Amino acid sequence: MQKLTRDDVIRFVQQHYVPDGITLAAAGNLDHDTIVEQAQDALWSLSGSRVDLPRQACGFERGVSVEASPYRQAYFALGIRSNPYAHGDRYRQFVLNSILGGGMSSRLFRELRESRGLVYGIQSEYHGYRDGGLLVIEGSTAPEQLMQVLALTMMELYRLDSSERPIDEEELWTARMQIRGQHLLAAENTHTRMSRLATQHFYFDRQVAETEVLQEIAAIDLEGIQNYVDRTFVPSLGDVSVAVVGPDAAECFNESSIRELMADFQGISV
């Protein structure tokens, strides 16, 4: 940051804050023509045009990172390679995320919190971008239980394979209803509606109707979600990164022990 100068900031603004590089989204009690006029009044001084940067392949590097901090609990996150946001399997990814760690009915919460009492909390979240994606599983536990929690988490992920513990009708129905409800409730918030418009323009160059989203979610069946798990998700478990922040407890866990644990799982034939 010390090397950043005023000229650097000005140059960045002139290069990136240009008329054809800005998306304006608005939602609420408004008039389209008025919004356009106000935008023109506010942004009239912008000039130039966007320079498209070269697209690079989105890679994934698995690894382990441990940072000692004065906390009583060990906070962990597992990052699993996933698809870009606009991928054709995105709705299956949303459903799978809900089944895995989308709430108190999810597999990870029921197994690690409710059944075993090993974690204070655990959940998963899908992060989708233009060129790649990531499924993140995060939670917290006592330092002496971290290695067991990581192992059980990986076991639950592999058990999704159709030969171990395939997804059943109840899980699929619960996940679909949860996503549907969240989507409809979020639509009541004008900030969310505005953000959706911008996101849809950025990724799809069109507005995706609410009915289309709900139909796509409802259309996911057991065969489709299990096929996605078997051909895409389980093979991606060979690419997992782990991050841990917690007390300095080398007798309980360290970078080497976590690497050895993950290597055992990543060597599983899928």
Side-chain angles (χ1 to χ4, degrees), residues 25 37 76 87 108 122 187 201:
E37 292 176 1
F76 63 90
H87 194 276
L108 291 173
I122 188 168
H201 174 79

Side-chain angles (χ1 to χ4, degrees), residues 83-187:
N83 293 318
Y85 185 84
H87 194 276
D89 283 328
R90 61 185 175 277
Y91 293 105
R92 294 184 181 91
Q93 176 63 71
F94 295 151
V95 169
L96 176 60
N97 174 69
S98 179
I99 291 172
L100 269 177
M104 291 186 292
S105 63
S106 66
R107 287 193 176 194
L108 291 173
F109 189 91
R110 285 185 297 167
E111 178 66 20
L112 295 172
R113 172 61 190 258
E114 296 298 301
S115 297
R116 298 177 182 266
L118 291 173
V119 296
Y120 297 97
I122 188 168
Q123 58 277 326
S124 64
E125 186 174 5
Y126 167 63
H127 299 266
Y129 305 98
R130 172 166 286 180
D131 299 313
L134 195 67
L135 179 71
V136 178
I137 298 169
E138 57 185 8
S140 60
T141 185
E144 63 271 17
Q145 296 174 338
L146 176 65
M147 297 299 291
Q148 183 183 6
V149 167
L150 292 178
L152 289 171
T153 298
M154 291 300 298
M155 288 174 61
E156 281 300 310
L157 300 183
Y158 274 105
R159 288 179 68 196
L160 280 164
D161 184 276
S162 57
S163 63
E164 288 289 327
R165 186 189 167 195
I167 296 169
D168 59 38
E169 286 281 4
E170 182 178 354
E171 285 181 305
L172 177 59
W173 182 87
T174 301
R176 286 197 310 238
M177 291 302 100
Q178 182 184 50
I179 296 172
R180 175 186 171 86
Q182 290 172 342
H183 183 82
L184 292 174
L185 285 174

